[in-house]
Amino acid sequence: MAEFTPITTQEQFEAAIADRLKRERESQAKKYGDYDALKQKTAEQEQQIAALTKEASDAAKKYAGYDKTVAELNAKIKGYETDSVKTRIARETGIPYELAGRLTGETEDDIRKDAEGLAKLLGRNENPASPLRDTETGEPDGVTAGLKDLLHKMKGD
């Protein structure tokens, strides 16, 4: 081994560790050489995340009321379908249309049972007869009787 010589000046110290510092800088440059590129890439990704977050927030605000609107429209459709079924069943059972809205039930069978019960209460039968006209009863109404009298007077009867 070489004989040890103490370092007494700053220049001697710097010369002794210059090689070691050079190796350390090279290893750090290898290890962190792409730091600036990674920093730039991270900044770009953060900008992209911010833009997408804003976009998602705007979309959420835009479509926030759609679920409520869809639920309301579905409720309306169900109401229309129920009214249609009630009207059809009222016609089939001989219940006046004015009473069709009073029928209750969630399913068609429930509504039909209610309609049949109401028809029994109203005294409706399965095939209601058409009402007779006044002329078929044999009793003329006031206008018809007046015209007949006028005709007889004109003939001289």
Side-chain angles (χ1 to χ4, degrees), residues 121-138:
L121 288 174
L122 292 174
R124 305 284 181 180
N125 58 13
E126 294 293 322
N127 297 316
S130 299
L132 298 175
R133 292 187 348 203
D134 285 342
T135 58
E136 293 178 346
T137 62

Side-chain angles (χ1 to χ4, degrees), residues 1 111 156:
M1 278 192 131
I111 295 170

Side-chain angles (χ1 to χ4, degrees), residues 9-156:
T9 65
Q10 183 68 28
E11 290 81 20
Q12 289 175 339
F13 176 73
E14 288 175 2
I17 64 165
D19 186 41
R20 175 69 185 117
L21 286 175
K22 182 179 175 186
R23 282 184 309 196
E24 183 62 26
R25 285 185 185 135
E26 287 174 359
S27 101
Q28 292 299 321
K30 279 184 184 178
K31 190 173 183 180
Y32 300 111
D34 59 348
Y35 177 75
D36 291 332
L38 290 175
K39 188 175 177 181
Q40 182 180 0
K41 188 174 181 180
T42 302
E44 290 172 1
Q45 289 176 344
E46 286 176 354
Q47 288 176 348
Q48 187 178 11
I49 288 171
L52 291 174
T53 302
K54 183 181 182 303
E55 207 174 293
S57 171
D58 292 345
K61 288 177 186 175
K62 180 179 178 183
Y63 299 118
Y66 283 10
D67 291 337
K68 182 180 176 184
T69 304
V70 167
E72 289 173 356
L73 292 175
N74 284 336
K76 275 186 177 180
I77 289 170
K78 185 177 180 185
Y80 291 144
E81 289 173 348
T82 303
D83 289 345
S84 174
V85 168
K86 287 178 181 181
T87 304
R88 181 175 47 83
I89 290 174
R91 186 189 70 225
E92 290 172 359
T93 57
I95 296 174
Y97 289 114
E98 294 83 20
L99 297 177
R102 302 206 181 249
L103 297 176
T104 60
E106 289 295 318
T107 64
E108 185 172 345
D109 292 335
D110 294 340
I111 295 170
R112 186 171 298 282
K113 286 177 186 176
D114 187 42
E116 290 169 354
L118 184 59
K120 286 179 185 176
L121 288 174
L122 292 174
R124 305 284 181 180
N125 58 13
E126 294 293 322
N127 297 316
S130 299
L132 298 175
R133 292 187 348 203
D134 285 342
T135 58
E136 293 178 346
T137 62
E139 298 175 11
D141 63 354
V143 174
T144 306
L147 289 174
K148 283 185 179 181
D149 284 342
L150 180 63
L151 182 62
H152 287 297
K153 288 179 184 175
M154 289 174 71
K155 285 184 177 178

